[in-house]
Amino acid sequence: MFAMGTIVNVIAIVLAGIFGKYIGKYFSIRYDKNLYKNVSTRREIYQKLKDIYDNKVNNVNDNRGLFIHGSYGTGKSYICGCFAKAFARAGFNTIIAFYPELIRIIKSSIGTGLIEEYIDLLKNADVLFLDDFGGEVSTQFIRDEVLFPILQYRMEHHMLTFMTSNLDKSTLHAHLSETTQSLDETKAYRIEERINALMDFVELKDVNYRFK
């Protein structure tokens, strides 16, 4: 496993075998203008993340994370990257993974014997961020054999988990139900239950900063 207090870019592990590689675009939790925009939902989400961070550092028994949803370019990934770095610096093994790329890599690893290794990494991280969930093309295998066991394990062990997405609660169900092979409402509900057990839903309402 990776060393104490590292932040792991899963893509870097797979492509280069590098542990403890920081994602270069992310910055520390200290004051940064991008975290303190004059937007009430941004301030609210920052404060929720800060409270969760403080509780974790102070061993408060509260391991609920956040499912941060909102439109494109509002800074969901950025703010999670800042806190992922902060968790790692505080000594927690932390993974942040861009979910569509993670899924692409897992699919390409079928038959190599590496899939269980990747799943175990995601299961066992002290703090896990799955970024841009819903941006991938969903399949039964990914939903049922990758995502479900990760969320199930983390729920059973009360492990801190975060997700970002353009999907809200209403569109999340449709995404989880429909795969390239079939429509399965029951399995979608099973995953939704675990997301709800692990995380609170919060919406980041803001403009698209990619075009500013």
Side-chain angles (χ1 to χ4, degrees):
M1 291 299 290
F2 41 97
M4 185 60 149
T6 57
I7 182 171
V8 179
N9 178 350
V10 173
I11 298 168
I13 292 175
V14 177
L15 297 181
I18 299 171
F19 289 79
K21 179 179 174 64
Y22 284 94
I23 302 174
K25 68 177 180 179
Y26 296 134
F27 302 94
S28 74
I29 197 173
R30 67 180 181 273
Y31 178 81
D32 186 280
K33 64 180 181 180
N34 294 295
L35 294 182
Y36 295 90
K37 293 288 184 183
N38 189 26
V39 176
S40 60
T41 57
R42 185 177 295 279
R43 293 196 304 270
E44 177 187 352
I45 289 170
Y46 172 82
Q47 190 57 55
K48 286 179 181 292
L49 284 163
K50 183 66 165 59
D51 291 344
I52 293 168
Y53 170 83
D54 290 341
N55 286 341
K56 185 72 170 174
V57 169
N58 293 308
N59 296 312
V60 176
N61 189 25
D62 182 6
N63 284 304
R64 287 187 66 77
L66 297 178
F67 187 103
I68 303 174
H69 62 94
S71 58
Y72 299 98
T74 54
K76 300 179 296 295
S77 302
Y78 179 87
I79 196 168
C80 285
C82 293
F83 276 88
K85 193 168 185 179
F87 278 114
R89 285 179 168 173
F92 300 105
N93 293 325
T94 303
I95 287 178
I96 182 165
F98 178 58
Y99 194 74
E101 181 67 4
L102 173 66
I103 295 312
R104 186 194 68 77
I105 291 168
I106 287 176
K107 286 178 180 178
S108 70
S109 301
I110 293 173
T112 66
L114 291 174
I115 291 178
E116 285 303 317
E117 181 180 341
Y118 302 152
I119 291 174
D120 284 344
L121 276 173
L122 296 162
K123 282 181 176 179
N124 288 292
D126 295 332
V127 186
L128 174 64
F129 291 82
L130 295 177
D131 182 36
D132 199 18
F133 179 79
E136 78 290 353
V137 176
S138 184
T139 67
Q140 287 180 332
F141 173 76
I142 293 300
R143 182 191 63 196
D144 302 339
E145 304 300 328
V146 178
L147 181 61
F148 181 81
I150 290 167
L151 295 179
Q152 176 69 21
Y153 182 90
R154 298 188 69 81
M155 180 185 72
E156 290 175 350
H157 293 83
H158 308 287
M159 302 178 81
L160 193 54
T161 308
F162 300 86
M163 298 172 78
T164 73
S165 181
N166 299 125
L167 304 171
D168 59 16
K169 269 194 173 184
S170 60
T171 52
L172 175 65
H173 179 76
H175 175 74
L176 291 169
S177 299
E178 188 173 357
T179 69
T180 54
Q181 295 93 349
S182 68
L183 183 68
D184 193 324
E185 302 264 353
T186 301
K187 290 182 178 177
Y189 281 124
R190 292 175 72 204
I191 292 177
E192 285 177 273
E193 285 182 355
R194 282 142 185 86
I195 290 174
N196 285 318
L198 284 163
M199 290 164 264
D200 295 320
F201 279 70
V202 291
E203 183 178 5
L204 178 53
K205 295 180 181 179
D206 206 348
V207 299
N208 187 337
Y209 286 97
R210 294 191 184 116
F211 297 107
K212 288 183 75 68

